[in-house]
């Protein structure tokens, strides 16, 4: 993989084509206008440079919106290296623009990025290993993670260094893990205490998504978390916006770009009715699909019912559905035997973080099955009886693989939380234990406030008497922590 590694004008990178930088820069410029929270944060901290001295490892979809996040972290003083957290989610023009920065493709002057659309899994873990390699032996001291892969690599590396045994992948871990462990063994052969040294002075990780947050809470419960973490996902201005309204936009975008099939009138099956499932169901219903939902949680099932959605079991609709979307963050949701029973040309896509929601391994093993590429990230799987299904992005996040992920405005909310969380963990080292924290509510409200002007919203101000009557401060926070929105 080292033949992918380039260094030009002192900037290391491994991207598809630096010649795409101008294309990416135009999109970044337009995105900046749609990301008021992030840009306001950039202005607020431009002078004080709170991230000076931070060496940030970023593992998060390398999109245009992420480019604005990266350049904000750099504008606040940080040194940054970036990798995508999914093999299909990189926008190559955005990656190129970040590397080039204010330079030229011949003389790049930006930030190291190791990501391109359509990596193999080997390349993916090689890239993830590269982000930890700051030049001149400097050690990373912060992580921005999405799904937890950078954090997991570091934890597994430390475990390996302590025991000398390559830690085993859990039985239910995604396929990636075997390859991660091989990468680890190769990397550690060079320097047997590398990850331990990084972990020892790591100030913390800020985690973007539900799947990664689940991993962090598990590590903390087992007393294995090596540094403090901020759960960005559960800021209200993240999960109740990005997961829901972001998916409402990017799911439909992915379906359209992948298949251009008419969604209206189709029977769409949404597996999981959490934040992402709610957005997915909204998107499909908005296009005129008949939407049914599967759930294990009675509260979410009842919510779906109250929205007029039928709550079903997959077995009951597997032969009738036209579009199947998994949003559970769980595994083994749509199995090969389900797919074998689906209608001809039924579409199967996943927007949960990992690819094991759909049994791709089982599908590939169906005797006599044939896989035909319609175009990148759209595959027709033809069963021996001649009927076929369409699988998007090989079972990985199709809103990023088949489209370009969530739009800038909603990502501005998520990423403003990320920047605030990075500043908090980096500058307040003694304030945090090896636990998982959430940002305080006044910061969550601040993020929302930064986005109101852009949507023409005018807030009402509480009178002093009203504030006293409901027991809050005039300036907020306006709700107790247990309030659920
Ligand atoms: P959530 O926890 O709010 O929702 C998941 C829902 O799935 C829960 O209500 C749960 O009860 C249900 N569920 C679990 N097992 C099930 C099963 N066997 N059958 C039916 N339902 C089941 O989580 P959230 O925030 O909606 O995230 C879901 C996944 O999407 C996570 O992996 C997250 O990381 C990912 N995500 C993806 C994004 C994207 O851009 N594609 C954006 C944000 C999150």
């Amino acid at each position: 993989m080292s033949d992918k590694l380039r260094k030009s004008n002192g900037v290391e990178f491994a991207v598809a084509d630096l010649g795409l930088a101008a294309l990416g820069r135009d999109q970044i410029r337009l995105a900046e206008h749609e990301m008021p929270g992030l840009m306001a944060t950039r202005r607020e901290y431009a002078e004080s440079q709170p991230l000076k001295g931070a060496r940030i490892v970023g593992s998060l979809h390398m999109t245009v919106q992420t480019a604005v996040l990266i350049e904000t972290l750099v504008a606040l003083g940080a040194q940054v290296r970036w990798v995508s957290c999914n093999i299909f989610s990189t926008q190559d023009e955005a990656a190129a623009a970040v590397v080039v920065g204010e330079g030229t493709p011949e003389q790049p002057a930006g930030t190291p990025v190791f990501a391109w659309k359509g990596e193999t899994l080997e390349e993916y873990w090689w890239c993830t290993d590269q982000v930890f390699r700051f030049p001149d032996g400097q050690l990373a001291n912060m992580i921005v993670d999405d799904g937890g892969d950078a954090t997991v690599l570091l934890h597994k590396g430390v475990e390996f260094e302590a025991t000398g045994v390559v830690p085993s992948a859990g039985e239910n871990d995604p396929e990636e893990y075997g390859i991660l462990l091989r990468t680890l063994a190769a990397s550690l052969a060079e320097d047997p205490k590398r990850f331990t040294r990084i972990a020892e002075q790591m100030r913390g990780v800020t985690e973007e998504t539900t799947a990664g947050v689940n991993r962090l809470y598990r590590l903390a419960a087992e007393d294995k978390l090596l540094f403090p973490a901020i759960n960005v996902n559960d800021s209200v201005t993240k999960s109740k916006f990005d997961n829901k309204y972001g998916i409402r936009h990017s799911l439909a975008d992915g379906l359209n770009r992948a298949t251009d099939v008419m969604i209206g009138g189709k029977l769409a099956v949404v597996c999981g009715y959490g934040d992402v499932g709610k957005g997915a169901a909204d998107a499909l219903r908005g296009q005129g699909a008949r939407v049914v939902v599967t759930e294990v949680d009675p509260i979410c099932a009842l919510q779906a019912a109250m929205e007029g959605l039928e709550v079903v079991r997959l077995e009951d609709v597997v032969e009738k559905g036209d579009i199947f979307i998994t949003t559970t963050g769980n595994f083994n949701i749509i199995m090969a035997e389900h797919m074998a029973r689906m209608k001809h040309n039924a579409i199967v896509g996943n927007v949960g973080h990992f690819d094991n929601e759909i049994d791709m391994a089982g599908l590939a093993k169906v005797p006599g099955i044939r896989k035909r590429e319609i175009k990148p990230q759209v595959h027709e799987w033809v069963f021996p009886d001649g009927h076929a299904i369409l699988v998007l992005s090989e079972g990985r996040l199709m809103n990023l693989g088949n489209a370009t992920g969530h739009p800038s405005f909603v990502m501005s909310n998520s990423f403003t939380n990320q920047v605030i969380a990075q500043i908090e963990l980096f500058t307040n080292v003694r304030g945090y234990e090896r636990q998982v924290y959430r940002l305080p509510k006044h910061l969550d409200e601040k993020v929302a406030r930064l986005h109101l002007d852009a949507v023409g919203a005018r807030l009402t101000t509480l009178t002093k008497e009203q504030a006293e009557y409901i027991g809050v401060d005039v300036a907020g926070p306006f709700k107790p922590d247990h309030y659920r929105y």
Side-chain angles (χ1 to χ4, degrees), residues 209-211 233 238 242-243 247 250 271-277 294-297 300 327-330 333 351-354 357 397 399-400 406:
T209 198
T210 317
N233 182 67
K238 200 285 182 181
D242 160 328
N243 302 26
I247 281 287
S250 62
C271 301
Y273 196 68
D275 290 323
V276 172
T294 73
E295 251 301 341
V296 292
D297 178 337
C300 297
T327 77
T328 68
N330 204 340
I333 302 300
V351 287
H353 192 80
F354 291 113
E357 299 211 18
L397 299 167
N399 62 316
L400 282 134
H406 299 351

Side-chain angles (χ1 to χ4, degrees), residues 40 92 96 114 128 171 214 261 266 270 333 345 393 407 435 439 456:
D92 288 325
F114 309 87
T128 309
E171 198 187 325
N214 290 343
V261 79
K266 298 279 193 302
V270 175
I333 302 300
N345 284 359
S393 289
Q435 292 298 331
L439 285 175

Side-chain angles (χ1 to χ4, degrees), residues 325-377:
I325 303 293
T326 52
T327 77
T328 68
N330 204 340
F331 81 127
N332 287 355
I333 302 300
I334 298 184
M335 304 306 289
E337 49 273 29
H338 293 129
M339 292 186 267
R341 286 165 52 198
M342 287 176 184
K343 269 183 175 176
H344 183 54
N345 284 359
I347 297 167
V348 180
N350 167 47
V351 287
H353 192 80
F354 291 113
D355 64 329
N356 51 359
E357 299 211 18
I358 299 173
D359 178 21
M360 295 304 296
L363 187 64
K365 285 189 205 132
V366 170
I369 197 152
R370 280 180 297 119
K371 176 184 175 190
R372 185 183 163 81
E373 179 156 299
I374 304 295
K375 59 183 175 182
Q377 285 89 53

Side-chain angles (χ1 to χ4, degrees), residues 179-253:
I179 299 161
L180 153 69
L181 298 172
R182 287 200 290 281
T183 307
L184 209 56
S187 160
L188 293 176
E190 296 165 29
D191 176 355
K193 284 291 171 205
R194 177 173 160 238
F195 288 112
T196 307
R197 285 200 307 277
I198 297 173
E200 272 167 7
Q201 42 80 68
M202 179 60 64
R203 297 198 187 179
V205 53
T206 58
E207 169 55 54
E208 175 80 1
T209 198
T210 317
V213 159
N214 290 343
R215 283 172 152 185
L216 288 172
Y217 281 112
R218 201 173 301 175
L219 280 171
E222 293 168 357
D223 200 25
K224 289 186 182 157
L225 188 61
L226 297 173
F227 34 79
I230 291 185
N231 163 0
V232 167
N233 182 67
D234 286 295
S235 286
V236 179
T237 47
K238 200 285 182 181
S239 52
K240 299 294 169 189
F241 289 80
D242 160 328
N243 302 26
K244 183 177 177 188
Y245 305 118
I247 281 287
R248 188 176 68 180
H249 174 106
S250 62
L251 169 73
D253 191 10

Side-chain angles (χ1 to χ4, degrees), residues 85-86 115 125 128 158 196-197 246 257 322 358 376 396 403:
C85 62
N86 182 288
W125 284 112
T128 309
V158 170
T196 307
R197 285 200 307 277
R257 294 201 212 189
D322 299 290
I358 299 173
R396 296 168 194 278

Side-chain angles (χ1 to χ4, degrees), residues 5 7 17 30 48 65 120 130 164-165 184 204 220 223 240 256 304-305 311 329 332 343 363 369 396 422 424 452:
L5 189 62
K7 189 168 182 181
D17 178 6
L30 297 184
S48 59
Q65 292 70 33
T120 64
Q130 290 305 310
V165 179
L184 209 56
D223 200 25
K240 299 294 169 189
N256 289 337
V311 182
N332 287 355
K343 269 183 175 176
L363 187 64
I369 197 152
R396 296 168 194 278
Q422 283 283 314
E424 182 57 26
L452 289 179

